[in-house]
Amino acid sequence: MTLNVDISVSTQALQALEALEGAGHEAWVVGGCVRDSLLGREVNDFDIATSACWKQVESVMQDAGFTVHRTGVRHGTVTATLDGVPLEITTYRSDGAYSDGRHPDEVTFVGSIEEDLARRDFTVNALAFHPDRGLLDCWGGVSDLEAGVIRTVGDPARRFGEDGLRILRGCRFASQLGFEIDEETLQAMKSRKRMLLGVSAERVTHELDALLLGEHVHDALMETVGVLCAVIPELAACKGFDQKTPYHIYDVWEHIAWVVQRCPADRVVRWAALFHDIGKPAACFLDGDRAHFYGHALLSASLAKGAMERLLMSPAFMNRVLTLVRIHDDQIAATPKSVRRALVRLGGDVGLFRGLIGLKRADALAQSELGRPRVELADELEKTLDGVIASEAAFSVKQLAINGNDVLALGIPAGPKVGELLGAALDAVIDERVENERGALIELLLEHFL
Ligand code: ATP
Ligand code: MG
C-alpha cells in the first residue's frame, strides 16, 4: 500500500495547533485522523494531543474563539468547537487499566508526546503529525500501514489485559481497513477474549456495528470468529459446520461471512445476515449423507433474539432484524400480487422489503451454482417492487381510500375490530376483488363483514 504523503489537517485543527503552540505549549494531531489521512480515507474527526493541562487548553481555546466543553477532564479531555466542528483535545497521558472498557481507571499526565503514543492501542493509531515537524512514528505505524497489519503497541497480551475493548477494536479495524491482524496480536486476542465479558454491551455493539459495515467484513469475520464468539457464543457452532447439501459450497460460517459481505451496507440487513443461518447447526438432520435444515430460519431468529437482548439492542431494531431473519428463506413470487402481500406482512415497510431482497440475493450468491436462479429471482422481485410502487397500488391500510373513521361511521365500536376490517378491505383490494375506491370499499364492508 502506498501511503498518501500530504496529510491535510482541517482548518479548525490547524487553528487549534497554532493557538496552543502560540501560547507556549506543544500540540499534535494524533490517532485515527493521521492513520486515515495517510491511507487516503475520509477523516471523521481530528483529535489533538497537547502538553497543556485541560485548564490551560480551555482558556487558550476560548481566547481563540472556540466554544469549550469539559467532556472528560478527569482524563484530560476537553472538546473545543469552531464553526460546528468539534475537536477533542487531550493532555499527554499514560493510562492504567480500563475496567469499564471506556475510560482508564487512573491516568497519569506525562511530559512528552512519545509517552502519550505508547499508551495507544495499535501501531497504526499511534501516529502523530504536525504541519511543521512532520510525522512522528515511534512504533512502526507507517510500516504497518504500508503492509496492512494491525499490531498492538507493545506486548499484546498485556495491552488486551488492560482493556478488553481493544480486542474488538482490532477486529473492527481489520474489517474497515482490510488489514490482517499480526499473528501474535491475534493469538493474544484469543487468549484474552474473556476480557470481553467485562466490556459494556453498548461498547460491544458499537464496535460490532462498525465491523459488520466494514468493506472487508468477510475476511475479518473469517479471521476473528474465534474472538467474536466471546460476545456472541451462538457463532461458535457455525464455524466448520459442514452443510452437506448440493446447494452449498461453504461451511455455515463462511457462507454467513459471504452473505454479510455481499448484502447492502445497512445496519439492519448486515445484522440479519450475521444471524440468518445461526440456527442451522441446531436444525440439521441427516438423511443418508445429505443434510436438511427445515425450520432453521425460526431457530436462527430465536438465537438472534437472545444475542440481541444480551447486547441491549432497542426493541424496534431487534424487530426489524428478526423479521428479516425469520422470512429470509420464504418464497415470494415476483408477481405484483405476491409482492404486495409480502409488503403487507412487513407493515408496508418498503425499505425493509428492499433489505430482504438484498439479503436474499446475497444468500443466493453465497451458494453453489444451484443458487443462481434465486439470484435472478431477487432481481425480478426488485423490478416487480419498483413496478408496484410506481403504479401506486395499495399495500398498506394507510393507502386505502377509507380510514378508521369510515369504519366507525358504520357503527363499529372503536377497538381492534376496526383494524381487522381495514385489513380485510386491504386483502380484498390486493386480491382484486374490489377497487380501491371509497364507495366500493364501504359497500364491501357492509356486504361481507358486518
Ligand atoms: P475512528 O474514530 O475512525 O473510529 P479512531 O482510531 O480515531 O477511529 P477513536 O475511538 O476516535 O478511534 O480514538 C482515537 C485514538 O485514541 C485512537 O486512534 C487510539 O490512538 C486511541 N484509543 C482509542 N481507544 C483506545 C483504547 N481503548 N486503548 C488505547 N488507545 C485508544
Ligand atoms: Mg476518532
Side-chain angles (χ1 to χ4, degrees):
M1 168 93 200
T2 323
L3 300 182
N4 189 357
V5 278
D6 351 292
I7 296 187
S8 54
V9 177
S10 70
T11 13
Q12 291 81 4
L14 275 179
Q15 286 184 38
L17 293 179
E18 274 167 25
L20 288 162
E21 301 216 324
H25 308 289
E26 185 185 81
W28 300 76
V29 293
V30 279
C33 58
V34 182
R35 175 198 72 218
D36 289 341
S37 300
L38 287 168
L39 290 173
R41 291 170 65 90
E42 192 193 330
V43 173
N44 298 322
D45 35 36
F46 283 89
D47 296 327
I48 291 178
T50 179
S51 60
C53 71
W54 72 263
K55 284 189 178 157
Q56 293 168 323
V57 175
E58 184 178 57
S59 98
V60 171
M61 297 313 293
Q62 278 169 346
D63 290 348
F66 284 72
T67 311
V68 178
H69 291 284
R70 299 176 179 181
T71 42
V73 291
R74 253 175 19 101
H75 309 106
T77 303
V78 301
T79 303
T81 305
L82 186 67
D83 305 326
V85 179
L87 296 172
E88 276 209 347
I89 308 180
T90 305
T91 307
Y92 296 157
R93 66 178 209 218
S94 138
D95 302 342
Y98 286 60
S99 50
D100 68 350
R102 189 209 280 256
H103 300 300
D105 299 336
E106 254 188 323
V107 306
T108 318
F109 295 109
V110 295
S112 69
I113 181 72
E114 287 81 2
E115 288 167 276
D116 180 88
L117 293 180
R119 66 145 172 119
R120 293 176 183 271
D121 49 5
F122 299 103
T123 60
V124 295
N125 291 344
L127 291 165
F129 176 76
H130 186 281
D132 302 331
R133 299 188 294 274
L135 202 58
L136 181 64
D137 175 15
C138 307
W139 294 95
V142 168
S143 79
D144 282 344
L145 275 182
E146 278 167 342
V149 174
I150 303 290
R151 185 197 316 274
T152 52
V153 169
D155 174 42
R158 187 172 66 76
R159 301 311 309 283
F160 295 139
E162 291 163 359
D163 173 11
L165 182 67
R166 291 176 188 149
I167 297 174
L168 276 189
R169 283 174 57 88
C171 302
R172 183 258 281 197
F173 289 124
S175 174
Q176 290 179 320
L177 306 175
F179 285 17
E180 282 202 14
I181 301 169
D182 156 72
E183 214 176 290
E184 207 189 326
T185 296
L186 183 61
Q187 186 56 28
M189 284 176 163
K190 292 179 188 160
S191 70
R192 289 290 183 277
K193 63 181 157 183
R194 64 184 178 281
M195 288 292 297
L196 287 169
L197 296 170
V199 178
S200 76
E202 177 210 9
R203 303 294 290 174
V204 168
T205 306
H206 179 77
E207 294 303 328
L208 292 179
D209 279 343
L211 186 155
L212 289 175
L213 290 169
E215 274 172 61
H216 306 272
V217 59
H218 165 271
D219 295 353
L221 288 174
M222 293 310 293
E223 192 175 24
T224 64
V225 58
V227 178
L228 300 178
C229 60
V231 283
I232 309 183
E234 291 84 352
L235 306 181
C238 300
K239 187 177 169 237
F241 195 93
D242 186 347
Q243 306 214 47
K244 294 192 174 149
T245 99
Y247 284 92
H248 281 282
I249 43 179
Y250 302 118
D251 68 39
V252 174
W253 182 243
E254 182 146 28
H255 168 73
I256 287 176
W258 278 123
V259 178
V260 176
Q261 173 85 45
R262 288 176 166 170
C263 74
D266 167 274
R267 188 171 171 242
V268 169
V269 185
R270 291 267 163 121
W271 275 97
L274 179 73
F275 289 138
H276 81 286
D277 272 355
I278 55 171
K280 273 195 164 174
C284 180
F285 73 91
L286 284 175
D287 177 8
D289 51 11
R290 161 128 198 219
H292 295 283
F293 303 96
Y294 304 131
H296 79 273
L298 292 182
L299 278 169
S300 295
S302 154
L303 293 176
K305 184 162 185 282
M308 289 192 288
E309 280 170 355
R310 287 196 313 276
L311 292 171
L312 304 179
M313 291 181 170
S314 77
F317 179 78
M318 278 177 37
N319 275 338
R320 289 165 69 79
V321 173
L322 291 175
T323 300
L324 293 188
V325 173
R326 261 187 227 113
I327 64 176
H328 78 267
D329 216 23
D330 289 5
Q331 287 186 16
I332 304 171
T335 63
K337 216 182 253 186
S338 110
V339 164
R340 285 164 79 193
R341 291 228 161 278
L343 278 164
V344 173
R345 283 206 304 279
L346 295 175
D349 188 335
V350 175
L352 198 59
F353 193 70
R354 287 201 193 281
L356 175 67
I357 296 172
L359 180 58
K360 282 178 158 296
R361 183 185 290 115
D363 192 6
L365 281 168
Q367 296 182 353
S368 70
E369 282 299 311
L370 294 179
R372 287 299 125 164
R374 296 178 58 199
V375 179
E376 283 152 32
L377 182 61
D379 295 339
E380 282 168 33
L381 268 179
E382 189 122 53
K383 274 193 224 134
T384 311
L385 173 67
D386 291 336
V388 164
I389 290 165
S391 74
E392 294 179 12
F395 50 79
S396 76
V397 285
K398 274 184 258 153
Q399 294 163 299
L400 285 179
I402 53 169
N403 62 28
N405 289 332
D406 296 306
V407 180
L408 293 173
L410 297 176
I412 304 297
K417 184 88 181 152
V418 176
E420 278 168 34
L421 286 175
L422 287 171
L426 178 62
D427 280 344
V429 169
I430 292 176
D431 287 345
E432 295 169 0
R433 283 184 275 122
V434 64
E435 287 287 314
N436 186 13
E437 191 269 311
R438 192 160 179 276
L441 288 172
I442 289 176
E443 199 173 310
L444 173 100
L445 289 182
L446 285 169
E447 268 177 32
H448 293 280
F449 303 114
L450 297 180

